[in-house]
Amino acid sequence: MSLQDTLTELQADVLAQIDQTTELKSLNDIRVNTLGKKGPITEVLRGMKDLTAEERPVVGAFANEIRDNLQAAIETKKAALEAAALNAQLASEALDVTLPGHAVRKGNAHVIQQIIEQLEDQFIGMGYQIAEGPEVEEDKYNFEMMNLPKDHPARDMQDTFYITPEILMRTQTSPVQARTMEQHDFAKGALKMISPGRVYRRDTDDATHSHQFHQVEGLVIDKHITMGDLKGTLLAVAQELFGAKHQIRLRPSYFPFTEPSVEVDVSWGDVDENTKPEDIEWIEVLGAGMVHPNVLTKAGIDPEVYGGFAFGLGPDRFAMLKYGVDDIRNFYLNDVRFLSQFK
Ligand code: FA5
C-alpha cells in the first residue's frame, strides 16, 4: 500500500474515532496518539526517506494536509464538546424560581412592649402626651423632687443601684413627673402626660419581682382635678385592656409624692352584678394618688392654684394578668418559644 493510501486510511479511521468521541479527555487522547511525535503520521513521514526525490514533496504535502484536516476536525469536535459541557452545567445550575422558598420567620414586638403600646394608644386618645426621661437619673429627680429628701425612711421602699452618690439607675418613672412639671407652660393648658420606660431596683428576682422591670407613669395637673378623675381614668384603662367585666379597687396606701395615696387592684376573672364581693380575686397593679403639694412647689407650681393626680403602673404585672403568666421572669428569659405566643 502506498504511503498516501496508508494516510488516507488513517485519516478515515481517526475521523471516525473523533466522530464517536463524547468526552474531552478521550478526544485529547486521540490528538496525542495521532498527531504526537510517536503517532502514525510521524511514523509515515519517517518512511519518506525511502521515496524518490519527486515523490517526497508530494507525499510530504499530502501528509501535512491530512495532519491539518485531523487537527481541524479535533478543534471542531473540541469546541462542540466544550459547548455541550457548558450547556449541561448551565442546565444543572439553573434556578427554578417556581419552587416554593423557605418561610421567613417573622418577629413580633415583645409582649411588654405590646402592652405599653396599647396603653400609649389609649392615653393618646384621652389627650395625653408621651414624655421621656433618662434611665441613668439624678438623685434630685428620682427622690428629692419627689418629696424624698436624703434621710427619708421611704427611700428604703425602693432599694437603689447607685452609680455615684448623686447618680443612680432610676427606681421608678416618677422622676419624669418632676422633669415634665419643670418644663410645662401652664399658659398653654393642662399638663397630661404618660411616660413608659425601664426602671431598676435591687429587688431579689422571684415570680412577681424583677430587678429590672417597666413602669408607665401618668400625671395630670390642672385647676380642678379630683380623686374621681383618677378613678374614672384608671377604670377606663383597666376595662379597655382587660375587658369590660373587670372592676378596680382603690386601697389606701402611702407614697411620699401623693396625698392621699392609693394602690389599685384589678379584679381577676369576670365580675358582674351577681358576683359576691367575697368571691372577687384582686391583683395589685399600680400605685397612684393626688400629687403632694410639696412636689408641686418643688417644681415651681403653686399648689393653691393647681393640683392633680399621678399614677405609676407596672406593665409587666398587666401582662401577667392579661395572659395568665404566673412568673414575671418568663418575660426576661428571651425564649422565642414563649415570646412568639404573643403575636
Ligand atoms: C412606685 O414605683 C411609684 N412611683 C408609683 C406611683 C407613681 C405612685 C405615681 C403614686 C403616684 P411601686 O413601688 O408600688 O410604686 O411600684 C408601682 C408598680 O410597679 C407596682 O404596682 C407593680 O406593678 C410594679 N412593680 C414594683 N416593683 C416591681 C418589681 N420588682 N417587678 C415588677 N414590677 C414591679
Side-chain angles (χ1 to χ4, degrees), residues 142 146 157-158 171-175 177 199-219 253-264 284-291 309-318 320 328 332:
N142 195 78
M146 298 314 293
M157 287 163 73
Q158 301 178 2
T171 57
Q172 51 185 355
T173 41
S174 299
Q177 283 190 38
V199 301
Y200 304 83
R201 287 187 199 174
R202 295 195 321 147
D203 280 348
T204 306
D205 290 4
D206 63 22
T208 52
H209 291 84
S210 173
H211 61 281
Q212 182 243 286
F213 56 102
H214 297 78
Q215 283 189 341
V216 178
E217 195 76 12
L219 177 69
S253 184
Y254 171 76
F255 296 104
F257 27 88
T258 44
E259 180 60 37
S261 300
V262 290
E263 273 180 320
V264 179
E284 182 222 309
V285 290
L286 63 92
M290 303 309 290
V291 178
F309 65 73
F311 58 85
L313 62 83
D316 304 59
R317 299 259 175 94
F318 269 48
M320 291 175 80
I328 195 171
Y332 296 101

Side-chain angles (χ1 to χ4, degrees), residues 91-113:
S92 74
E93 289 175 1
L95 202 61
D96 183 354
V97 289
T98 63
L99 275 178
H102 295 289
V104 177
R105 273 240 305 258
K106 274 199 217 147
N108 57 284
H110 192 284
V111 53
I112 307 280
Q113 187 59 30

Side-chain angles (χ1 to χ4, degrees), residues 97-230:
V97 289
T98 63
L99 275 178
H102 295 289
V104 177
R105 273 240 305 258
K106 274 199 217 147
N108 57 284
H110 192 284
V111 53
I112 307 280
Q113 187 59 30
Q114 292 180 33
I115 298 268
I116 289 174
E117 284 171 14
Q118 283 176 34
L119 288 165
E120 285 180 349
D121 286 349
Q122 282 176 256
F123 280 103
I124 288 170
M126 294 190 281
Y128 286 60
Q129 308 280 329
I130 312 273
E132 278 184 24
E135 290 174 28
V136 178
E137 183 55 284
E138 294 175 42
D139 184 280
K140 174 181 137 189
Y141 289 107
N142 195 78
F143 289 131
E144 305 260 344
M145 288 188 69
M146 298 314 293
N147 201 26
L148 275 150
K150 285 253 160 49
D151 53 355
H152 199 292
R155 282 201 178 204
D156 293 347
M157 287 163 73
Q158 301 178 2
D159 222 347
T160 310
F161 290 113
Y162 278 96
I163 292 168
T164 70
E166 295 303 326
I167 306 284
L168 44 79
M169 300 305 293
R170 67 176 180 191
T171 57
Q172 51 185 355
T173 41
S174 299
V176 188
Q177 283 190 38
R179 286 181 176 273
T180 347
M181 278 191 262
E182 252 183 3
Q183 301 288 323
H184 190 70
D185 177 2
F186 282 92
K188 292 191 178 144
L191 166 55
K192 289 172 85 176
M193 72 88 178
I194 62 159
S195 183
R198 271 188 279 271
V199 301
Y200 304 83
R201 287 187 199 174
R202 295 195 321 147
D203 280 348
T204 306
D205 290 4
D206 63 22
T208 52
H209 291 84
S210 173
H211 61 281
Q212 182 243 286
F213 56 102
H214 297 78
Q215 283 189 341
V216 178
E217 195 76 12
L219 177 69
V220 174
I221 306 280
D222 203 354
K223 282 187 178 148
H224 306 287
I225 304 292
T226 68
M227 198 87 179
D229 297 317
L230 171 63

Side-chain angles (χ1 to χ4, degrees), residues 22-86:
T22 54
E23 283 171 24
L24 280 165
K25 184 178 174 309
S26 44
L27 183 68
N28 193 47
D29 290 344
I30 296 171
R31 186 181 61 79
V32 173
N33 292 339
T34 315
L35 306 175
K37 275 196 192 117
K38 290 179 185 151
I41 296 186
T42 316
E43 192 62 29
V44 169
L45 291 175
R46 232 178 253 137
M48 282 180 26
K49 64 183 185 314
D50 302 327
L51 299 176
T52 61
E54 294 82 46
E55 281 173 324
R56 236 178 261 157
V58 180
V59 175
F62 188 70
N64 283 340
E65 194 187 313
I66 299 277
R67 184 205 300 264
D68 290 348
N69 287 347
L70 293 178
Q71 191 103 46
I74 288 170
E75 286 307 318
T76 309
K77 182 76 182 196
K78 188 172 173 228
L81 288 180
E82 279 175 350
L86 182 64

Side-chain angles (χ1 to χ4, degrees), residues 110-112 315-317 319-320 323 325 327-334 338-339 342:
H110 192 284
V111 53
I112 307 280
D316 304 59
R317 299 259 175 94
M320 291 175 80
Y323 297 113
V325 174
D327 195 321
I328 195 171
R329 288 167 289 197
N330 285 322
F331 296 132
Y332 296 101
L333 291 176
N334 282 340
F338 172 77
L339 293 175
F342 307 101

